[in-house]
Every structure is written in structure tokens, then in C-alpha cells.
Amino acid sequence: MINKQLLQPESIVVIGGSNNVHKPGGAVVRNLLSGGFQGTLRIVNPKEDEVQGIKAFHDAKELPPTDLAILVVAAKFCPQYVELLAKEKQVRAFIIISAGFGEETHEGALLEQQILDTCEQYGCALIGPNCIGLLTRWHHSVFTKPIPNLNPKGVDFISGSGATAVFILESAVTKGLPFNSVWSIGNGKQIGIETVLEYMDENFNPDTDSLVKLLYIENIADPDKLLYHATSLIKKGCRIAAIKAGSSDAGSRAASSHTGAIASSDSAVEALFRKAGIVRCFSREELTTVGCIFTLPRFTGKNFAIVTHAGGPGVMLTDALSKGGMKVPVISGPKADELKEQLFPGSSVANPIDILATGTPEHLGIAIDYCEKHFKDIDAIMVIFGTPGLVKVYETYDVLHKKILSCKKPIFPILPSVNTAGPEVQEFLSRGHVNFSDEVTLATALTQIMKTPEPADQTISLQGVDVPRIRRIIESLPPTPPEGKGGYIEPMHVHELLAAAGIPTVPEFVSAKKEEVCAFAEKCGYPVVAKVVGPVHKSDVGGVALNIRSKEVLSAEFDRMMQIPDATAVMVQKMIKGTELFIGAKYETRFGHVVLCGLGGIFVEVLKDVSSGLAPLSMAEAENMIHSLRGYKILQGTRGQKGINVRRYAEIIVRLSTLLRFATEIKEMDINPLLADDNDVIAVDARILVEK
């Protein structure tokens, strides 16, 4: 619940406000006063008559009605304050900075629940507990520094960690990144990150609201809500970037399938962000750099001009952009020659455009003008300009300032001398600009933005999928064993499910009788493949024999495989050739099914070159998953070999995701390998784990 009393209170009381600005209670009062809060500020402190020039109340019972209360007292006192203020003082919003609640002990969790119950009873908004507060243009209800530049076109920042929020603000302030609001949700007992996004989405005004949202997430409590509102905001014109901490699967559990070994909560996060169109970041510097990029004019191209007076950074930036799939095209021709004539001898215009260390502000302006007006293949301009400390660069940065305002192409200022030219950089930032002090970090952030797809179409594709048949097959399966571990279903049922989903499979036959297996092989024609039925990892126990070309060899392999522990039968298939692919899926609690794709065979475990998506998937999502694979060039065809039918591969991924949407009893599955050529993609081996 987010209300007017939280966002635009007419009166605020700080419970525990003090004169000691080195403690949270005093620092909150200081920030509220220095932030220019226009309403009535009240303080409750039993030991002080006056706090930072404000007459203090010794007891909260003496307070008049108040909109918002900020609690900076011991956790054990918070529930009684909340009860008193909500019931008797009409307080309808609380920011509880105090720690010592559910994040520490069971007893603390009970106190936290008591506070939530009271807030729910009286219709109060609750931020925290265990947070740094809320920072808006209306009121600075935080106890920390720095306080960034606040303006309506700044970014909205929502963090699940107070300390991390401070460090991210530190990173942002040095870059000149402006803010509109900073939300520290702490334990998020009532208002979590998803709740804030929901409010911003449902109350969005494109003319007045910030179009950039940055998130630091430690726990995704409601993935569906996050997906829905992030997608909605992005479709309304917003841009969102996020860090999700704690995504690694440190306790990698023993998994019974390739997918189980690879899939993790991180795969689910990656899939969720991809589906929503959220740019994923992995560090504070990357998040704030992406935020700065979001404040610049949008562009869709990938061709960059680099204007520099130092060769090394230009080379490193070129390398980083190229590695990220972007281009620094060669600039040549009459206009390039014309530009070179206007620079000092020895300058280079091939791109990077090196105006030399002795280049003047005028030279910088000329180079930018040529990139803007004459080099049509250039989509954006990156300017690297620092100083060894021999001269001031105010005039140079003034030229850069004017060009940023006048040019239609985006200009990325890379001003590395934040120490030596500190005053000049600060003046540049004060004029409303951002600074990317490290060129490689900028290129990395741009790469993340460029590879993030648009929000996915949420429509479920039913083409080629027989949903009623899928349900009949699932419902016909035996119930999960009492221990609740589920089990892999018989190959016959696997084949039936794939057929119902429209996923083509190799003709196969399963039997515990040698003569039946050999008869099928004669019917479909040699060569064939034989696989043991029973053990999960067939290759590990010698349960796969390829390229069998006679009945005698097949008979011998049958006898051998039936001696393998846990063997129940032998499967025989027609031997086909093609590029080995992999598709898998795993059910993640709260997220649903995470679908993985990649190169198949042993490579799925050795290389782990997989891409993830959240079911159900659209064709655009599936194609984006395939294109994002490091091995995508293999699928396109290399060294004279034909590529595979990528669209057919994407169709099968989509159909699998639809199968999972209507068969949530499936908890884990592999199709490995699928064999693909330029015409078709066929499933060769699959296993499905079902829990009913």
C-alpha cells in the first residue's frame, strides 16, 4: 500500500530524532531540514527539549495528528509506537529505519508481523523495517549520504538493501546521474520492489514521471507481479535495469538430468529479465553506467565514432565495443581527407579519430561536427578527453557541452581525469551532463543494453500443440510415489507427450525381448542406435551403441545392455545424422518453468553454452535465445557446412514451452540431443520427470 501520506505528507514526526547528526535519529532530522521539507516537522525525544532548532515532544501521546512517522528507536519499542500513532494520531504512513526484526531473529519476525498487522488494520503504508528510508523531491526521509541531485527527469531507484543503495548512490553521484526518487525497502514486509513498480505503473504519467528505473534486488517475492509491471512500464516508454544479487546456486544439488545440473535460480532470473525487457547488470558501476546511458537520447544503431586525444583509451574502447557486437567502422573518403586537413599533422581520422594530445578545443568541435553532419554511417559519438594536468580543460568541456545540446546523434562523454581535472569535470556535470570515466565499463554496459530484447508477447502459442491430448496423457500417468520424489516416465509416454506437442521424434521401439527389438530394426532399416532403458544417464553406464549395421551386432548389444544394473528394456532407433542440439526445462518455485536451449550432446554439460527463457515463450523470444548462444555461428553454418533450420528449432522451443504451460506436473526434462539440418529438427532422446 502506497498512499499520499507516504509520498506527500503535510506533517512528519521523527520518533527518536536527536541533536547527534552522527547517529541515524539526528541524521534523518538533518536531511529533512536541509532537503527543504515544506510541511510541519515534529520530533519525539524524551530527553531533549529542542532538536536541531525544533521544539521536541517528550512523549508521542502529546503529538497532534500527523501524516508520516519515521521510527528510529529500538525494535522492541516499534510495535507500541505504531499502534499508538495509527490509532490515536491518525498516522497513515510509517518508515521504520530500526533494525533487529525478521532479518535477525524469530522474536524480531514476530515484532515485524505485529507492526504489519497494525498497519493493515488502520490502512497505513509501511516502508521497512531495517532500511535507510525514502528520498523524494518532497521529503528527504533518509539518514544517509550522499543526497544526489533530484529532479523530475532523474531516475527512480529501488533497492532491497540500504547499505548497497548508499554505495550505488556514491557511484552514481560521481557520474552526474540525477535521481527523482530513492526507495530503500529494507525487509519489505508490506512494500516490496514489486509493490513500488506496481504503483509506478498504475499511476504512470509520461509527461511528469521519470522514464528510468534502476533496481537492486535481493529477493524476488512475486515474479509474476515484477514481470507484469516491468513489462507494462517498458511498453509505456520506460527503461529498466536491475542487479539481482544472490543468484548463484552455491549448493548445487545432485540433479538427475542435464537441465537439473545447469538450471538454477540464476537461470530463472535471466529468463524473467529477458521476458520483461529488463537490462541485467552485475555490479554497481555497471548499473549506474546503464542508468547514465538511459538519460541520453535513444538510438538503435551499432556504429560508433570515437573522438580522442589519447590513442590507448581509443584502442581499448574499440576492442570492447567490437567484443560486444558493436562496430567502429573505418572512416574514409573525401570528407575524411577534408577533416584531416583541419587537424594537426599526425592526426588520424580512420576511426578512432585521434586529434593528438595537442589538439585544441576547436579541433574537438570540428571532429564532432564531421561525425554529426558528414559521416552518415555513424550512429553515435564517443568523446575521450582528459588532461595530464598541464592545462585547464574548461574551454574544451564547454565545447563538448554545446555539441551535446546541438547534435542529433548521441554523444558519450568519457572524461577520465576526475582527479586531475576535478573542478572542470564537476562544472561539466553541474550543467546537467553525465560522465563515463571508464571507456570499457561504458562498452560493457552498452553491450548489455543492446542484447536485451523488447518485452515479450505474453500470448500463448497453441499452433501444432494438442492441449487436450497432453492433459489426457498426464492424467493417465500413475500418481507420484508416497515419498514425493516423482519419477521419470516411460519412453512410450515421453514419445506420446512430444507428439502431442508437435515435436517430431525419431521412430523408436522399446522392448525387453530381443526378437522384437531386432524385428523393428529390420523394419526401419540399418544402421540403428540401441539405448538401455532404466538408468537415467545412459552414456555413463555404457548404455548407448551407435551405428549398429547388422542383426548380429544388435543382438550382442541387447544382451550386454540387459546386464547393466537397473536395465528394464532396450530402445532401438533409426540412426540419423545432423547437428546436435539441446532443449531442457526445469520448474523453479514461484517462477514456473525455465526453458534452456543450446548445443547438444556432451557439449551441454562441458561448455554450458545455454540460453534461458521463461515459459510460455513466443517465437521472438525463442529466436532471441538461439541468437544469444556463443555457438550460434555453428548453427548458422561454418567452413562450408550448411546451417540448421533455426526457425524450426525456435518453433520446437515454443511448442515445448506451451506443453509445459499446460503440464505443470512436469518438473524437469531434457531433449538431448535433437538432430538438426537445414530442413528439419528431430528429437532423438528425451526424458521427463513428473510429480503428481
Side-chain angles (χ1 to χ4, degrees), residues 541-552:
V541 295
V544 178
L546 305 176
N547 206 27
I548 298 172
R549 295 183 174 273
S550 69
K551 180 179 179 179
E552 292 73 22

Side-chain angles (χ1 to χ4, degrees), residues 204-217:
F204 182 71
N205 184 331
D207 297 323
T208 58
D209 290 357
S210 169
L211 298 179
V212 180
K213 320 293 179 188
L214 302 183
L215 315 176
Y216 173 80
I217 306 171

Side-chain angles (χ1 to χ4, degrees), residues 308-319 352 354 384 439-440:
T308 179
H309 69 158
V315 173
M316 288 190 288
L317 180 54
T318 301
D319 290 343
D354 188 349
I384 305 173
E439 59 279 348
V440 175

Side-chain angles (χ1 to χ4, degrees), residues 9 24 92 144 225 242 272 298 355 388 467 541 565 571 575 625 645:
R92 292 297 177 263
T144 55
K225 181 185 276 191
L272 176 66
R298 286 183 185 243
I355 64 174
V467 175
V541 295
M571 175 194 294
M575 180 88 179
M625 288 169 62
N645 187 333

Side-chain angles (χ1 to χ4, degrees), residues 274 451-454 611 619-629:
R274 182 192 298 274
K451 75 178 187 181
T452 301
E454 293 297 313
S611 183
M619 275 296 292
E621 286 181 278
E623 289 174 342
N624 184 272
M625 288 169 62
I626 297 168
H627 293 167
S628 68
L629 293 168

